[in-house]
Amino acid sequence: MDPEFLQDPYPTFSKLRDEDPIHRSDLGFWVATRYDDCRSVLIDKSFGQGDFVRNIQLFYDDSFDVLAQPAYAWLSRVFVMQDPPQHTRVRDLVASALTHRRVKEMAPRIRQLAARQLQQVAKLEDVNFITDFAYLFPTLVMCDMLGMEEGEFSWELLAELNQAVADTFPVFETRALEPQELALANQQMDFLTEFFDDLFQRRKKTPRDDLTTAMVYAGDGEDALTQEELSTSVIGLFGAGFETTAHMIGNGIFCLGANPEQRVKLQNNIELADAAVEEILRFESSLQATYRTALEPKEVAGQKIGVGERVLTIVAAANRDERHFDNPELFDISPREQKPLTFGGGIHYCVGAALARLEGKIFLEELFTAYPNFLVDIESARLRGAFLFRGYEDLRVTLRA
């Protein structure tokens, strides 16, 4: 993909919204860029995930054996890639374990983890904020929620888990993977599955008051999550924290560094932390786009979508639609009435959205409380070379009290 586009896709998104808001791509799928069109597709139950194998073969060819690849086989089982009734069953069971109450009760512990990791970063001289904080913080939170004690993991293991997720999640990308990429994704998926299978087996033998145990005992009898569903779901939750929450944090501190007047506003009004998180999610969405498949004939903005045809909803474009947001090209942490589409919509709305928002809010509060004079090196910042998940791979930050 064009490096210049990846660096700044927003002028292209603006042009598409104005001139060709929903169109058929040369790659064989539809592309939607306006807020109302994207939202209508995301919340409409007539759009779902459809035939997983066929959807992936669009990027390869009809002879590609999708489910023979462990990484794609895992992706096919993730509930966000499924349609009812299987989607409903698994999502409800996961949601029954990851309740708003459990997330709310985690707030003090999340604050401790944020403060402790910021203290560790402050001691370092040469800090890549992405690897030294943004990746580690949500990983530590998820490990804590899963009830993983220090005897069950080490910093080296956390690094291995993070790397495994990074190597595996390209299967979400809207492209064919290079042979070496796919081989590595398959290898790392085997590692993740083995690790989390072992964790669930330990909790079955010795239950605790943690998310792992809650997932093991979610549902009754035949309705309970299977071993395969347990590992699939927890890898998804673990990876979502890595890919979306981590980049929300990285994108957020970059935006604050690039917009000093908004940084001062937040420093003087820390109660705007919630609104700041929403603006970060809107202005630099860590998830740029998501697919839906027409399960029946539909019409969107005058375009007829046939059964089985795919629609790529570019939520990052929708989040800057001037038809829906005031001054959408400006980063402004003042509360907005309109909400971004970053977490999707309808039955596929992100099950971990409340946790991600809480982590973002606590991070900002701890950052501005302990290190209000932090410095962000905007000029040297380097974005990842990927479209679907937008974020930085190198972002130099100095924490100063």
Side-chain angles (χ1 to χ4, degrees), residues 345-356:
I347 64 172
H348 290 285
Y349 185 78
C350 177
V351 72
L355 176 60

Side-chain angles (χ1 to χ4, degrees), residues 380-400:
S380 70
R382 187 171 68 248
L383 282 162
R384 304 169 69 207
F387 169 67
L388 194 63
F389 296 108
R390 181 173 177 82
Y392 292 86
E393 63 181 11
D394 195 301
L395 183 61
R396 300 290 152 171
V397 175
T398 303
L399 297 183
R400 300 194 312 184

Side-chain angles (χ1 to χ4, degrees), residues 101-265:
R101 177 182 176 183
R102 182 180 292 276
V103 170
K104 186 177 180 180
E105 289 176 347
M106 273 292 296
R109 180 59 178 156
I110 292 174
R111 192 171 298 279
Q112 290 177 357
L113 293 171
R116 187 178 73 183
Q117 194 57 32
L118 284 170
Q119 289 170 3
Q120 293 299 316
V121 171
K123 297 175 183 177
L124 303 176
E125 293 185 4
D126 187 24
V127 174
N128 178 358
F129 200 74
I130 303 304
T131 54
D132 292 325
F133 182 86
Y135 283 164
L136 284 175
F137 171 50
T139 301
L140 288 169
V141 170
M142 184 53 64
C143 286
D144 203 80
M145 292 190 74
L146 291 170
M148 292 170 58
E149 297 178 346
E150 292 191 7
E152 293 179 295
F153 71 88
S154 62
W155 289 108
E156 290 75 18
L157 176 58
L158 288 185
E160 289 181 28
L161 290 171
N162 275 344
Q163 189 60 53
V165 170
D167 292 338
T168 302
F169 267 51
V171 295
F172 278 99
E173 290 282 350
T174 54
R175 62 182 176 87
L177 302 188
E178 295 295 330
Q180 64 271 22
E181 280 186 292
L182 183 55
L184 181 58
N186 288 335
Q187 177 185 335
Q188 293 285 44
M189 180 51 63
D190 288 339
F191 164 71
L192 289 169
T193 301
E194 182 179 351
F195 175 82
F196 285 110
D197 278 350
D198 181 64
L199 179 64
F200 282 118
Q201 288 297 330
R202 294 200 299 273
R203 290 301 182 271
K204 284 181 179 180
K205 295 179 180 178
T206 310
R208 298 179 184 173
D209 182 17
D210 56 31
L211 181 60
T212 306
T213 303
M215 291 179 68
V216 166
Y217 291 98
D220 298 308
E222 294 182 0
D223 188 48
L225 291 168
T226 66
Q227 183 71 27
E228 190 175 67
E229 289 169 341
L230 283 168
S231 60
T232 295
S233 298
V234 78
I235 292 169
L237 290 173
F238 200 89
F242 176 85
E243 285 290 357
T244 57
T245 307
H247 292 303
M248 174 188 70
I249 289 170
N251 294 347
I253 198 168
F254 179 89
C255 287
L256 290 167
N259 296 271
E261 73 289 348
Q262 296 302 308
R263 171 181 173 161
V264 171
K265 182 189 293 187

